[in-house]
Amino acid sequence: MKRFVFSLIVVYSFCFMFGMFGQVSAASSPTLFLDGKQIATDVDPVITKGTTLVPLAVISSQLGYEVHWNNELREVNIKNQSTEISLTIGNKIALVNNESYEILEAPFLLNNRTMVPIRFIAEVFGMKVDWKQSVSEVHITRPIVIAPDPEPSVTEKTTVINVYNENDATIHIEFTGEVSNPKVMELQNPRRVVVDFADTGFSPEIVNSFIQGKTEVSLEGYDFITKYRYSIFTADPLVARFVVELQDNTKYSLLQTENDVRITFSVPSDDDSEGEPTSPEDPVIIPPIDTKKVYHIVLDAGHGAKDPGAISKINGKKEKDFNLSAVLKLKAELDKHPQIKVHLTRSDDTFLELDERVAFAEKIPGVNVKADVFISIHANSFDNSTANGTETYYIRDNSKKLAETIHPHLIAGTGLTNRGVKTAGFKVIKATTMPAVLLEVGYMSNEKDVKALFDESVQQKLAQELTKGIKAYLNLQ
Ligand SMILES: [Zn+2]
């Protein structure tokens, strides 16, 4: 920014200096409209290779932005409170808040007027630009400013709460609040896709993790994309921006649901027809496609390896083996549902500390997202062999509904005595933060229970019933 400090001349003196020059007209000059009203310009706009350029004075006197001209550097600087565009005569690289953008036509001097690309500037400042070719008209529409309510209504702000990638194939963006239709632009050198979400901010956790105002994820060595970054593009109006750098042949698409947007990447197969080429001044707006959210479910088989859990005095069987067998069968059932993705804390006879199980659920390895549901499976034991039956435990308020929804299915699955839904501070359901339950499926110390626990058909029924319970909890068909 240092170079803007010296020799700045505001545009008003610039206009004054060059105001006496005569009008240059061309038969094909487009007419400019702002919010439906025609804008008069002392120099006609010109179209060069499909790009409309207007005299710089339009930007200040008509659109009302602060404009500076640096004669020495032949540089134009346009800004509002939060956004600063800098353009240089003859240079196709524009800077927006110090991020470079390639523009189709460089600003140039025409009869001592600085001609600047209107669409690029207007869109950076959040205006809508329509080109009506048949009548050669450029229509610029400013966003409607709604006066604040005397008593502001409590509306939830749209906030990005989580961003993660599945390798280089998908970037997930999760939101709270209503997701606005993203604006998508493709830019070159390097090739990248820019996705803007209007009226959208980031959670305090994400903002706190920004380094130099953004988060940048490098994916070197992958096939589709090389890196992506996200930041607050402008603060007023609030815009969240995602920029993904693509390999030359990578295709991308956006899938939008109520509170989740996915950008997916692929390379075209041989028989794919080439799409229309896009340019920085022709943003491609991809309409939302009705897709469904994927729920991440962590299943936790209690104990493992050196920690056998309860050992049955009746048949010598170990709790850890039942837990794992039950979890694997449940996973197989849940895997049949396209909206459910199951993650196992252990899939074999491995030992994990309780803290490791909690950490796994809080940030699932590979997807780096918190589980939507956590279910830990155990079997019980007691000195008195008459104790028997099935229990569901929860401890935190956000887990009560999960416990109450799943429990009837658990009972239906085991066919054992219903000991009810209970609260207890087991570490894995207390230290986690998502809805979490711990199932004590039956008693290893009771003859009837332990026989059922290790019965393949009971385990299968249990898996089917728990799947019904989980789907009911998630409102899935
Ligand atoms: Zn246990």
Side-chain angles (χ1 to χ4, degrees):
M1 284 300 137
K2 259 190 217 143
R3 56 210 167 105
F4 296 118
V5 176
F6 47 89
S7 74
L8 296 179
I9 302 166
V10 287
V11 73
Y12 301 108
S13 59
F14 179 69
C15 291
F16 175 78
M17 285 162 63
F18 301 112
M20 68 285 282
F21 287 87
Q23 186 169 330
V24 174
S25 62
S28 63
S29 281
T31 318
L32 289 183
F33 291 83
L34 177 64
D35 296 334
K37 285 194 192 125
Q38 190 178 339
I39 297 175
T41 57
D42 61 346
V43 171
D44 282 339
V46 293
I47 299 176
T48 309
K49 293 177 192 153
T51 300
T52 302
L53 294 101
V54 302
L56 181 61
V58 167
I59 307 300
S60 61
S61 62
Q62 303 288 339
L63 302 186
Y65 292 98
E66 197 182 326
V67 177
H68 297 276
W69 164 251
N70 182 326
N71 198 39
E72 207 171 339
L73 298 173
R74 293 158 65 85
E75 192 172 72
V76 174
N77 184 225
I78 307 161
K79 64 181 179 183
N80 67 3
Q81 299 90 328
S82 57
T83 305
E84 184 167 10
I85 303 174
S86 108
L87 302 163
T88 309
I89 301 296
N91 190 340
K92 286 188 181 179
I93 300 295
L95 293 179
V96 178
N97 290 346
N98 274 332
E99 174 136 22
S100 62
Y101 290 80
E102 186 173 305
I103 50 181
L104 282 184
E105 281 305 315
F108 58 86
L109 293 173
L110 176 68
N111 295 337
N112 281 318
R113 293 292 185 287
T114 303
M115 305 299 286
V116 294
I118 183 64
R119 178 186 281 270
F120 176 76
I121 293 166
E123 288 187 343
V124 165
F125 286 116
M127 286 175 267
K128 192 165 160 279
V129 181
D130 291 314
W131 164 241
K132 296 185 179 173
Q133 180 144 24
S134 58
V135 285
S136 192
E137 290 177 0
V138 177
H139 286 257
I140 303 165
T141 314
R142 283 183 285 207
I144 295 162
V145 178
I146 297 158
D149 289 342
E151 283 178 47
S153 57
V154 187
T155 51
E156 197 192 355
K157 197 180 76 169
T158 307
T159 304
V160 176
I161 53 166
N162 192 27
V163 183
Y164 64 96
N165 59 290
E166 288 180 59
N167 299 320
D168 63 338
T170 309
I171 295 170
H172 293 259
I173 308 164
E174 293 180 352
F175 299 82
T176 56
E178 205 177 326
V179 183
S180 61
N181 276 357
K183 188 176 135 185
V184 183
M185 294 174 278
E186 189 179 324
L187 303 172
Q188 303 296 332
N189 298 327
R191 183 174 172 233
R192 59 210 190 277
V193 58
V194 176
V195 184
D196 284 346
F197 294 93
D199 302 318
T200 303
F202 291 90
S203 70
E205 291 77 19
I206 292 178
V207 171
N208 286 336
S209 72
F210 280 161
I211 296 166
Q212 294 179 337
K214 66 184 175 189
T215 287
E216 185 158 302
V217 179
S218 181
L219 292 164
E220 270 166 46
Y222 280 95
D223 293 333
F224 305 149
I225 64 178
T226 50
K227 63 171 81 160
Y228 69 94
R229 56 185 176 271
Y230 46 97
S231 60
I232 298 167
F233 177 57
T234 58
D236 183 21
L238 188 60
V239 175
R241 166 163 286 191
F242 291 75
V243 180
V244 186
E245 292 190 9
L246 306 162
Q247 304 284 14
D248 286 343
N249 59 343
T250 297
K251 296 206 310 180
Y252 55 88
S253 63
L254 260 74
L255 306 174
Q256 184 178 354
T257 63
E258 201 180 337
N259 44 19
D260 172 84
V261 168
R262 259 173 278 172
I263 314 174
T264 60
F265 305 96
S266 59
V267 286
S269 54
D270 291 341
D271 57 1
D272 268 356
S273 56
E274 282 295 307
E276 287 288 302
T278 56
S279 74
E281 300 215 330
D282 292 316
V284 182
I285 307 299
I286 300 174
I289 299 164
D290 184 29
T291 56
K292 306 268 171 32
K293 178 179 163 65
V294 169
Y295 294 93
H296 294 279
I297 298 183
V298 167
L299 300 181
D300 175 50
H303 312 282
K306 67 181 182 186
D307 169 18
I311 298 174
S312 176
K313 286 179 183 160
I314 295 152
N315 59 7
K317 300 254 190 205
K318 292 169 184 155
E319 182 198 339
K320 66 173 185 178
D321 296 326
F322 162 73
N323 297 341
L324 180 61
S325 180
V327 153
L328 292 175
K329 287 190 177 64
L330 177 53
K331 179 183 188 307
E333 284 301 307
L334 289 171
D335 280 347
K336 294 174 185 170
H337 200 287
Q339 278 176 264
I340 292 178
K341 181 97 180 81
V342 177
H343 309 269
L344 304 181
T345 55
R346 69 179 178 97
S347 54
D348 54 20
D349 189 22
T350 322
F351 176 77
L352 284 100
E353 297 288 357
L354 297 178
D355 286 342
E356 295 177 287
R357 298 168 198 259
V358 171
F360 185 100
E362 288 297 311
K363 194 174 182 182
I364 301 168
V367 291
N368 293 335
V369 61
K370 181 156 83 175
D372 295 295
V373 167
F374 175 90
I375 298 174
S376 187
I377 293 189
H378 286 253
N380 221 333
S381 184
F382 197 62
D383 289 345
N384 184 338
S385 64
T386 60
N388 70 93
T390 302
E391 297 161 340
T392 298
Y393 285 90
Y394 75 98
I395 185 68
R396 288 173 287 103
D397 288 344
N398 71 349
S399 306
K400 187 176 185 200
K401 188 182 163 206
L402 174 65
E404 289 175 345
T405 309
I406 277 187
H407 187 71
H409 292 279
L410 177 60
I411 298 299
T414 62
L416 301 175
T417 305
N418 183 356
R419 295 173 66 94
V421 174
K422 299 178 176 183
T423 56
F426 294 110
K427 174 117 187 197
V428 291
I429 56 172
K430 189 178 178 185
T432 45
T433 57
M434 74 294 301
V437 292
L438 185 146
L439 311 180
E440 291 285 8
V441 181
Y443 276 76
M444 299 285 293
S445 47
N446 177 269
E447 192 170 351
K448 179 183 166 215
D449 278 17
V450 77
K451 194 165 171 248
L453 292 178
F454 285 89
D455 184 313
E456 285 288 316
S457 63
V458 172
Q459 287 186 4
Q460 192 53 44
K461 181 93 188 294
L462 178 67
Q464 287 162 355
E465 284 294 332
L466 285 177
T467 297
K468 282 189 209 167
I470 291 162
K471 281 160 63 179
Y473 174 73
L474 296 174
N475 289 319
L476 296 177
Q477 297 300 308

